Amino acid sequence: MGSLPSDFITKSKSVDTNEFKPLDPEDFREKAHKTIDFIADYYKNIEKYPVLSQVQPGYLRNQLPEAPPDTPESFDTILADVQKDIIPGMTHWLSPNFFAFFPSTVSSAAFVAEMLCTCFNSVGFNWLASPAATELEMVMMDWLAAMLKLPKSFMFSGTGGGVLQSTTSESILCTLVAARDRALNEIGVEHIGKLIVYGSDQTHSTYMKVCKLAGIHPQNIRSIPTSVKDKFSLSPKLLRKVIEADVAEGMVPLYLCSTLGTTSTTAVDPIKELADVAKEYGIWVHVDAAYGGSACICPEYRHFLDGVELVDSLSLSPHKWLLTYLDCCCLWVKNPKLIVNSLCTNPEYLRNKINESDSVVNYKDWQVGTGRRFKSLRLWFILRSYGVKNLQDHIRTDIQMAITFERLVKSDHRFEIVVPRRFSLVCFRLKQFNGFEPSYTELLNKKLLERVNSTGRVYMTHTVVGGIYMLRFAVGATLTEECHVIAAWELIRELADTLVKECYSSITANCI
Ligand SMILES: *Cc1c(COP(=O)(O)O)cnc(C)c1O
């Protein structure tokens, strides 16, 4: 090798390599300690902020400079700006007064495990890229499967296995693609237009998106209607009817997404009965248990999973109800080989002897992306720090608080529970008053929700099911205690008082 040109050497010498050290351990220690203090104070003071952010669109652009700084700013200034610029634009999901959507639960154990995940920053796409990351994930998936009393056919210690995805969408996508490819192998890729997928009108909206991503023709997605009579769960009889009609047309039934705890009202589809029907037609059955599945770690709710031994895959998001922070969605499959067949890649730069032997799991072949974070640390820390017993208690306490709220609603004759409560979500509304149109009841409830949320003291959301507009009160934010639930009800009741009075005192329906 020849020597480097002299001007190159002079140039590189002029750079002072001592100045900029993005990961200096002592510098890290200082900044991290300050940030931990910031976070602990934030959690301590969280109730001082309006739970629903009150800023207007575009608020932040007006506050920030047009371009990044050329030279460094001090860490203290940056952290101070988080307080000044960012916090006002946050909707505080961890507030004890957050009752919207489904809460996103957290814990100290998961937080510190997340720090360790970030610490290692391992990109564990295959076994050798970090054996611990792959192996802990496999053990955790089996631990959780055991807590849910899943059959061995979903466990690595049996004949199946599990993987941590980011979201339910990815869980459904990976299984749908596996089912699709299995079917196309039989009928030929040119017949992809014959594949039909099934769900109900309560299936999560992501299902549509995922089906499109998987190349299922939009007109081949069957969204089977549910009714109040069936408590908005999917009827096996209706499913059979729809499948039979498709088969009669020469179509090929492919995939059914059933739901344990729908997003609107936590309806539960009858897994066993649905699987019995679907299996007659060779359909891949998936159970989306994103929220409700967590309750099944308690023996008294396990029956919702009855029949799970008949299905092909199950997903559950511990970031919703098992204290794990986003994002963490468990997917269990009976036949991982089918997913690997569809998603396996084998580029030269990732090749090594161990990975190519059949003795290890390479999780890159179980998911959409290649790189993946060491998320199982969170589950390991949670399960060991709290034990199954405390997690069961946590589920039961949330449900108990929802029961308290439900009782309060029932004790007020102006309100009604719209759908029977199953877990920790209460769906309720102001009843239709004598002499008022149904559309007026909807307006009244919309107005009530708007007023409640604009106080910044409580945040709730709504849904429309079976044509009925209703309010959703979802208990379960980690910091929520019974006093918050009672205070929220008091606020709702007071605002309803004013609203109802205003309306009765007005002669026409124009009052709102
Ligand atoms: C929340 C929810 C989803 C989406 O969940 P992610 O795991 O957060 O993507 C899907 N299905 C149901 C039933 C849900 O409640």
Side-chain angles (χ1 to χ4, degrees):
M1 221 175 97
S3 60
L4 290 162
S6 59
D7 62 330
F8 181 90
I9 295 170
T10 339
K11 247 192 203 156
S12 42
K13 263 194 180 158
S14 74
V15 176
D16 185 354
T17 49
N18 290 329
E19 285 263 303
F20 178 53
K21 290 185 179 167
L23 193 59
D24 174 72
E26 288 315 315
D27 181 55
F28 168 77
R29 192 189 307 279
E30 188 197 325
K31 287 175 175 153
H33 278 160
K34 280 184 181 167
T35 307
I36 292 290
D37 283 340
F38 181 96
I39 294 168
D41 288 340
Y42 168 71
Y43 287 160
K44 206 163 147 185
N45 295 318
I46 197 163
E47 280 192 75
K48 294 189 180 147
Y49 307 114
V51 49
L52 175 62
S53 173
Q54 310 281 310
V55 300
Q56 295 302 310
Y59 93 100
L60 191 56
R61 184 164 279 281
N62 298 329
Q63 260 159 269
L64 299 188
E66 294 252 307
D70 256 339
T71 50
E73 297 184 62
S74 84
F75 185 72
D76 290 344
T77 315
I78 304 171
L79 206 52
D81 285 349
V82 173
Q83 186 69 39
K84 181 168 79 64
D85 298 327
I86 302 299
I87 297 258
M90 294 308 297
T91 288
H92 300 282
W93 281 72
L94 301 198
S95 164
N97 300 312
F98 186 98
F99 302 103
F101 312 108
F102 285 126
S104 159
T105 58
V106 298
S107 60
S108 305
F111 196 113
V112 295
E114 176 65 14
M115 286 168 70
L116 289 171
C117 165
T118 306
C119 153
F120 297 127
N121 196 37
S122 79
V123 189
F125 36 73
N126 60 25
W127 181 85
L128 198 58
S130 275
T134 297
E135 297 201 4
L136 187 65
E137 186 161 329
M138 293 168 72
V139 176
M140 287 309 102
M141 293 308 295
D142 273 11
W143 277 17
L144 234 86
M147 282 165 66
L148 293 163
K149 305 228 172 342
L150 296 185
K152 281 278 181 193
S153 53
F154 286 103
M155 295 163 77
F156 286 109
S157 60
T159 49
V163 57
L164 289 178
Q165 303 276 350
S166 293
T167 62
T168 301
S169 313
E170 288 159 81
S171 297
I172 299 178
L173 181 60
C174 293
T175 49
L176 179 56
V177 164
R180 178 199 68 191
D181 291 352
R182 180 179 64 178
L184 292 181
N185 266 340
E186 279 177 29
I187 64 171
V189 284
E190 67 277 17
H191 294 302
I192 190 167
K194 286 191 176 174
L195 299 178
I196 310 280
V197 300
Y198 303 85
S200 84
D201 58 5
Q202 298 303 307
T203 307
H204 194 278
S205 55
T206 195
Y207 188 45
M208 286 281 177
K209 181 161 53 172
V210 165
C211 291
K212 276 194 216 162
L213 283 169
I216 303 299
H217 292 201
Q219 72 271 16
N220 290 359
I221 306 170
R222 302 280 176 265
S223 176
I224 300 169
T226 57
S227 67
V228 70
K229 174 176 71 65
D230 290 325
K231 299 184 186 126
F232 302 109
S233 72
L234 176 54
S235 146
K237 259 194 207 150
L238 216 47
L239 174 70
R240 180 186 294 280
K241 237 170 104 181
V242 175
I243 296 174
E244 279 175 356
D246 286 326
V247 172
E249 295 275 310
M251 304 307 257
V252 179
L254 178 70
Y255 188 95
L256 165 68
C257 179
S258 62
T259 310
L260 193 173
T262 60
T263 313
S264 270
T265 65
T266 64
V268 178
D269 292 339
I271 297 175
K272 185 180 178 308
E273 290 78 1
L274 291 172
D276 278 340
V277 173
K279 284 298 140 194
E280 283 180 38
Y281 300 90
I283 294 174
W284 181 300
V285 182
H286 180 78
V287 178
D288 170 5
Y291 159 79
S294 294
C296 301
I297 65 167
C298 301
E300 67 272 32
Y301 299 108
R302 172 59 177 77
H303 64 92
F304 289 125
L305 274 174
D306 284 356
V308 71
E309 65 281 359
L310 302 172
V311 312
D312 299 277
S313 52
L314 165 74
S315 59
L316 182 165
S317 298
H319 62 234
K320 278 197 168 151
W321 210 1
L322 282 181
L323 308 177
T324 53
Y325 285 85
L326 277 176
D327 41 31
C328 182
C329 178
C330 299
L331 169 68
W332 288 276
V333 284
K334 249 190 197 159
N335 193 346
K337 193 118 191 62
L338 290 174
I339 293 195
V340 174
N341 284 349
S342 285
L343 304 179
C344 165
T345 54
N346 201 11
E348 192 54 41
Y349 48 80
L350 296 184
R351 282 193 184 173
N352 63 62
K353 249 198 204 140
I354 296 176
N355 283 335
E356 277 163 40
S357 70
D358 259 351
S359 63
V360 296
V361 163
N362 293 312
Y363 272 129
K364 74 175 170 55
D365 298 334
W366 294 52
Q367 63 171 23
V368 175
T370 301
R372 58 201 323 277
R373 306 178 72 234
F374 192 174
K375 289 194 265 200
S376 55
L377 277 170
R378 278 184 272 175
L379 292 171
W380 195 43
F381 270 57
I382 287 171
L383 294 173
R384 295 183 60 197
S385 303
Y386 305 134
V388 176
K389 193 185 159 307
N390 273 310
L391 291 173
Q392 290 170 332
D393 283 353
H394 146 75
I395 297 281
R396 289 176 181 134
T397 310
D398 282 354
I399 292 177
Q400 203 48 52
M401 286 192 281
I403 292 172
T404 300
F405 185 83
E406 185 186 31
R407 277 206 199 108
L408 291 167
V409 173
K410 282 182 177 165
S411 71
D412 189 322
H413 68 280
R414 297 166 308 174
F415 284 91
E416 66 185 347
I417 300 289
V418 190
V419 202
R421 182 201 51 74
R422 284 205 189 276
F423 303 104
S424 66
L425 171 74
V426 182
C427 295
F428 71 109
R429 64 167 191 166
L430 276 167
K431 272 185 205 162
Q432 188 166 334
F433 295 124
N434 279 341
F436 287 122
E437 296 286 310
S439 67
Y440 187 70
T441 309
E442 178 168 331
L443 269 178
L444 208 58
N445 278 289
K446 275 186 183 162
K447 193 75 193 167
L448 176 60
L449 181 65
E450 223 176 272
R451 289 195 185 178
V452 168
N453 288 343
S454 69
T455 63
R457 286 160 59 195
V458 165
Y459 181 31
M460 303 188 304
T461 48
H462 76 280
T463 190
V464 176
V465 177
I468 302 171
Y469 181 97
M470 61 190 91
L471 308 178
R472 293 171 79 264
F473 189 84
V475 182
T478 310
L479 295 168
T480 301
E481 294 175 20
E482 195 165 69
C483 61
H484 299 103
V485 170
I486 293 169
W489 169 249
E490 286 301 314
L491 178 72
I492 295 164
R493 199 178 50 77
E494 273 167 36
L495 293 172
D497 280 348
T498 326
L499 191 61
V500 170
K501 265 189 212 132
E502 276 171 32
C503 291
Y504 272 115
S505 66
S506 163
I507 314 157
T508 68
N510 296 331
C511 69
I512 53 172

